[in-house]
Amino acid sequence: MIKLNVSVFMAILVLTLVGCEKVEQEQLTVYSFSGENEQLSISNGIIVLNDTEEIFNGGDLKVTDDFFNNITSYSTTFYIMSGDKKDVILSNNVVDMTGDTVNASGDLGQISGDSAIRRIKIDDTSDLKNILYFELTAKDRNGKENVYQLQLPLTEITKNNGD
């Protein structure tokens, strides 16, 4: 009985040691983005890409009160321009149904999954650096609609070691 317990223990030990082999490390790439003009600014945006999952966080929007004090609805859209094709990553809409105005400033939302960004068929993630855009479409009480756009250059935060 003791020999059997020792054999089982040794087998478990060998399997455990084999299981401790160096596991291939996932490649992780993290980008940050921000941008501003006279009407609006975006800060704290982030994109996280690894082999199995993607996270896109739009960050925070701050609008200039002079331009956005009479807004009854707005939509925000992040997209990638590939040639003349506009591929949406994340879009949100806000509509006031009470007759009041809305504040467009705040959190722009997040999306995650295994194809949140790469579904857009970009050859290489390095191509993302200069093709990310943000669009804010705002409608005022008089029904006038204005569209504001920002190009959002990406800054890579992580540096992958050449494995």
Side-chain angles (χ1 to χ4, degrees):
M1 186 68 163
I2 292 176
K3 282 189 172 186
L4 182 60
N5 285 342
V6 170
S7 296
V8 169
F9 174 77
M10 291 301 287
I12 291 172
L13 181 61
V14 167
L15 289 173
T16 303
L17 291 175
V18 169
C20 289
E21 241 180 81
K22 183 181 176 186
V23 176
E24 187 174 324
Q25 196 173 22
E26 278 190 15
Q27 184 170 343
L28 178 70
T29 307
V30 179
Y31 295 98
S32 69
F33 60 87
S34 61
E36 66 181 303
N37 62 23
E38 301 79 35
Q39 298 90 16
L40 54 100
S41 69
I42 292 177
S43 59
N44 302 320
I46 193 162
I47 297 173
V48 180
L49 304 171
N50 69 27
D51 294 337
T52 58
E53 188 172 13
E54 303 166 13
I55 299 170
F56 180 93
N57 184 314
D60 300 308
L61 173 65
K62 183 175 181 183
V63 297
T64 307
D65 290 337
D66 297 344
F67 289 94
F68 299 98
N69 61 359
N70 198 22
I71 301 301
T72 58
S73 67
Y74 68 90
S75 66
T76 60
T77 304
F78 287 95
Y79 60 93
I80 290 175
M81 285 302 294
S82 184
D84 60 350
K85 187 175 178 203
K86 184 178 184 178
D87 287 307
V88 174
I89 296 172
L90 177 65
S91 185
N92 291 301
N93 297 309
V94 174
V95 177
D96 178 73
M97 304 300 278
T98 67
D100 206 358
T101 59
V102 295
N103 181 0
S105 292
D107 183 9
L108 288 167
Q110 175 175 307
I111 187 172
S112 63
D114 62 358
S115 63
I117 298 168
R118 289 193 180 111
R119 68 178 165 71
I120 297 174
K121 308 288 186 277
I122 297 170
D123 294 337
D124 185 338
T125 56
S126 64
D127 291 346
L128 283 173
K129 290 186 180 178
N130 294 310
I131 59 174
L132 178 64
Y133 290 85
F134 172 78
E135 183 174 283
L136 172 66
T137 303
K139 188 180 284 189
D140 66 18
R141 287 184 187 218
N142 300 322
K144 183 179 178 191
E145 190 173 274
N146 290 302
V147 178
Y148 306 91
Q149 293 178 319
L150 280 178
Q151 183 175 15
L152 300 168
L154 301 181
T155 302
E156 187 172 348
I157 298 173
T158 55
K159 297 294 181 196
N160 292 309
N161 298 335
D163 293 337

